[in-house]
Structures are given as C-alpha cells and as structure tokens.
Amino acid sequence: MSNSEAVRLALQGVDIQVAAAAFYANAPQNADVRALASHSLQSTRTRTPRPPRKDATLAPSAHRPHVMLRSLDQNTRSNYGAGLLRFTQYCDSISISKEDRMPASSDLIATFAAHHAGSASGKTLANWLAGLHYWHIVNGAEWKADDQLHHVRRGFTKMVPPSSKRAKRPPVTLEALTILFEGLDLSLPLDATVGTTSANAFWDCCRLGELLIPSLNLFDPLKHVSRAVLPLDLHQLSDGTHYCSIAIPWTKTTLQEGASISITARDHITCPLKALSLHLDVNARLPPHAPLFAYHFANDNGWLPLTKSIFMTRCNEIWERAGFPPMPGHAFRISGATELLLQGVNPDVVAQQGRWKSQAFLEYWRRIESILPLFISSSHSPIRTIALDGVMSAFAARHQLSMPANS
C-alpha cells in the first residue's frame, strides 16, 4: 500500500479544515486580540462548505457506518486521525502488510507505543491508542491490546521528555479573579463578555467548552448555548438572594442531554449574575441566533463569538501585567469548586453546582487537595483547609463511597 493510500485511510472521517481551525485557534496569540478578531472574521457569516466534485463518490461500507463516526466530536476525530496516521507511518517504516494491521496484534500495538517513548507525552500516546482502538471498533475487528501494552505505557510515562511536560500553573484564586475584573473595562463589549464568562466559569464550576465555542465560525446551536435562552428567568430565595438557570444543550459528560447551569448572585465584584446582566446590556443588539457569549465588534451591527483563545489571551494580558504567570482555561472550574468548599458550602451543593455525580466529585477531590495550599490567604485560614478533610470524609460516608487513595 502506498503512503498516500495509507494517509487517506488513516484520515477517514477526519475534517481537515476543522482540525486546522482548531490548531490555529489554540496557537500562541499576539497581545492585540482585537486585531486578531478583525483579521479572522470580517463578517458574521458562516462559511458554506464547497460542493463535492461531480466525479466524487463515497461508497457505503458496513465496516465504517457513519452513525458511529457521529459519536465523536470534531476535535476527537482530529486527535484520532493523528493517531491513525502515526500508526500507518510506523507500519510502513517496518513493512507491516495491510492484512497484519487489522486487527493489529498485541506485539504490534505494544511496539508502536514503545517506538515513540521519549519523544511524546503520555496524553499524546493515549489519544493515539484511543484512535487506533476506535478504528478497530468501527471495522468490527478485535482489539488485542493486553498486559504487554500496560507495562509499555507505564515505562512510557517515565520516559516523557521534559519538553513535553507543562510547567504547573497556579489556580485562578478569588484574588486572581478580582484582579481580572479590576483590569477589565466592563463598558466595552469584549471586556464585558470576558468578565461574565470568567465569573460564570468560576462560580458556576463550568468548563469553558460549555460556555464558549472552540474557534471562529464553528458555532453549533445543537452544542453551544445561544441567546435564544433569553430573557433570563430570575428567581428570589427567602433571604432575598437572586438566581437564575440557563439550559446548555451539550456537556462533556451528558452530551446531547445538556444540563442546567445555576447562576446565583454574590455580594462581590465578581458576581456572576451581575456580570451576565451587564454583558447583556452592553451587547444588547445581538441577534437571537448568536452565541450567548458573543460581543459587538467594530459597530453595533457587527459581532463576534467569544472563543476560548481570545478569552484566555485577554485574561492573561491582565494577569501577566499584574505579575501572575499565564493560567490555563481549565483552572476556572477546579478553582471555583475549591473556593466554594473553603467558604463552607456543603460538598453536595458544590457537586450539584459543577454537575458532578458523587463518586466523580470525590475523585475530583484529589485534584482539589493538591491546590489547597495555594488558596491560603487572609480570607482563608489553615484551620479551615484542614477541616475540609473531615468534611469530605463525611461526604464519602454519607454516600457510602471510598475516599480516593493518596497519589
């Protein structure tokens, strides 16, 4: 089989344009976010895919049913495609016949993984193997990975090169979130949108992927929350606290079942409900089909969706100016859960806020424990931090769960 044929098979079902868009959206950005947005999207029209050539055909195959490919997100397809390409290249390099690649023997799978030891990260290998495994599932072939691969992967993680390891970054503490709000000009459309996204990701324990779209022109109303959820349905608790709920159509764990995000007012500069209301006022004339977290651009008639790349660039501009190192987007969710626990919020309520099941939240607790020392400040005493162990032990006992072992 030729290399071109091997590549074609490896990238079966992978949308190259989507993969490229995801790559450039996550590439390092210049500080001028507005210039980036202006260059990347002059209008809000969604690109129309080119029609296929008249001589192009797609033969149906029982081994590659399209319904199975629909189970994968576009980014997952791209990651899996990269793994299949690497596997094909490896097989070509050692002259493995087409027949011996499907199903791949346990030896071939293990040697493929071992071949890349010392040159890739453990997460990268996991994605490659997941793609190879999925390729077998789609083709109805037996997956023969066994204990040999298990031990190879253990050795692989010990040989990960330093260049593939990311330096540990601090969490988004309440102090960092406050500095962010003080550095934003909330009267500006972009900054108002960044403010409400950060506040809701933190206090509502959201993944950024539940609020933002991955890149420009990739908005999907079946997956991303739009302004169609407006107007907000405000409620009031017996103590006078206001809150509302927003239905999102998709989450990483519930998929198309979606979920409901609870937004509660807080007596703080970073109040998520106040930030959302301000964002809706500043960006009032957006069409109902626009993403909820979109903003006016250039004039009142133009608008842009807020992407994770633009959002994090703007946040890190302010944090770095204040002496903080760059922070990752996933830090908002774990940091918000940590802050709520330190404020004495019941773990059951925190789990509900972050839409974790009991066992999942208990496992998440191990990650929270690792960053607790970084939250000690004038607002949180060491005694409160130590007491959290007892609180989480009681949570585990109440739900008849075993506490996760120390790593």
Side-chain angles (χ1 to χ4, degrees):
M1 180 171 58
S2 66
N3 284 339
S4 60
E5 178 67 6
V7 172
R8 186 187 69 77
L9 288 174
L11 296 179
Q12 183 92 29
V14 176
D15 190 326
I16 300 300
Q17 291 185 343
V18 171
F23 171 81
Y24 285 112
N26 292 313
Q29 306 287 335
N30 293 328
D32 192 350
V33 181
R34 296 164 186 79
L36 165 69
S38 176
H39 177 73
S40 300
L41 189 65
Q42 297 298 330
S43 70
T44 59
R45 292 180 299 174
T46 302
R47 293 179 181 176
T48 302
R50 293 181 181 179
R53 297 194 313 268
K54 292 182 179 180
D55 60 343
T57 60
L58 182 63
S61 170
H63 296 292
R64 292 183 297 275
H66 293 291
V67 67
M68 292 185 68
L69 291 177
R70 291 290 295 173
S71 69
L72 299 180
D73 185 66
Q74 290 285 9
N75 288 339
T76 304
R77 292 190 199 183
S78 298
N79 291 335
Y80 282 10
L84 298 182
L85 178 59
R86 292 285 188 174
F87 178 73
T88 300
Q89 291 171 335
Y90 173 70
C91 290
D92 286 345
S93 70
I94 59 175
S95 302
I96 299 295
S97 67
K98 180 180 178 180
E99 292 73 19
D100 289 336
R101 302 182 191 190
M102 175 66 66
S105 68
S106 60
D107 287 341
L108 178 58
I109 298 171
T111 55
F112 163 65
H115 176 73
H116 295 282
S119 62
S121 69
K123 182 177 180 180
T124 297
L125 177 64
N127 284 331
W128 291 352
L129 291 173
L132 183 58
H133 189 182
Y134 188 79
W135 189 36
H136 279 67
I137 293 174
V138 169
N139 286 278
E142 180 185 0
W143 178 243
K144 296 184 177 181
D146 55 17
D147 289 344
Q148 184 178 192
L149 176 63
H150 170 73
H151 289 289
V152 166
R153 294 184 68 171
R154 290 186 63 182
F156 189 101
T157 58
K158 297 179 180 180
M159 298 173 64
V160 173
S163 59
S164 297
K165 297 179 180 179
R166 290 184 178 180
K168 290 186 177 181
R169 298 179 182 181
V172 180
T173 62
L174 186 55
E175 176 190 9
L177 189 64
T178 300
I179 289 175
L180 174 62
F181 264 71
E182 291 174 343
L184 293 169
D185 183 347
L186 298 179
S187 67
L188 299 177
L190 173 59
D191 280 8
T193 313
V194 169
T196 188
T197 302
S198 62
N200 282 278
F202 184 89
W203 291 113
D204 306 337
C205 303
C206 293
R207 301 179 180 90
L208 287 184
E210 296 171 346
L211 307 179
L212 304 178
I213 64 174
S215 62
L216 299 172
N217 284 334
L218 285 183
F219 174 67
D220 181 355
L222 298 178
K223 186 175 180 180
H224 306 120
V225 62
S226 72
R227 294 176 68 93
V229 301
L230 302 177
L232 297 177
D233 188 11
L234 290 175
H235 302 277
Q236 186 173 348
L237 298 173
S238 58
D239 63 357
T241 301
H242 290 88
Y243 71 97
C244 72
S245 297
I246 292 180
I248 55 176
W250 186 93
T251 74
K252 184 177 180 180
T253 54
T254 65
L255 303 180
Q256 289 82 0
E257 291 184 10
S260 179
I261 295 177
S262 178
I263 305 174
T264 304
R266 292 184 171 276
D267 186 18
H268 195 266
I269 185 177
T270 64
C271 171
L273 189 58
K274 182 178 179 180
L276 179 58
S277 298
L278 180 60
H279 156 64
L280 296 178
D281 287 341
V282 174
N283 296 289
R285 287 177 290 279
L286 270 65
H289 63 269
L292 180 61
F293 299 98
Y295 58 97
H296 288 298
F297 176 72
N299 55 60
D300 286 348
N301 295 322
W303 58 270
L304 287 172
L306 184 62
T307 66
K308 180 180 177 180
S309 175
I310 295 176
F311 170 74
M312 290 307 306
T313 298
R314 183 67 180 123
C315 289
N316 282 318
E317 282 178 349
I318 295 173
W319 281 327
E320 290 182 59
R321 197 161 56 235
F324 285 87
M327 300 188 198
H330 62 76
F332 284 93
R333 178 171 164 86
I334 189 172
S335 299
T338 305
E339 180 64 31
L340 291 173
L341 288 172
L342 287 169
Q343 288 188 5
V345 177
N346 189 294
D348 288 290
V349 176
V350 178
Q352 180 68 27
Q353 181 76 334
R355 299 166 303 286
W356 288 286
K357 293 183 179 179
S358 299
Q359 181 63 54
F361 184 62
L362 194 62
E363 293 172 355
Y364 204 69
W365 165 244
R366 177 57 62 223
R367 296 179 61 187
I368 291 177
E369 275 191 320
S370 68
I371 65 172
L372 277 176
L374 300 175
F375 276 75
I376 300 302
S377 65
S378 57
S379 59
H380 295 304
S381 69
I383 295 177
R384 176 61 193 157
T385 304
I386 296 173
L388 272 181
D389 276 326
V391 171
M392 292 306 299
S393 294
F395 172 83
R398 187 163 57 252
H399 292 280
Q400 298 181 336
L401 303 171
S402 299
M403 289 288 286
N406 289 314
S407 56

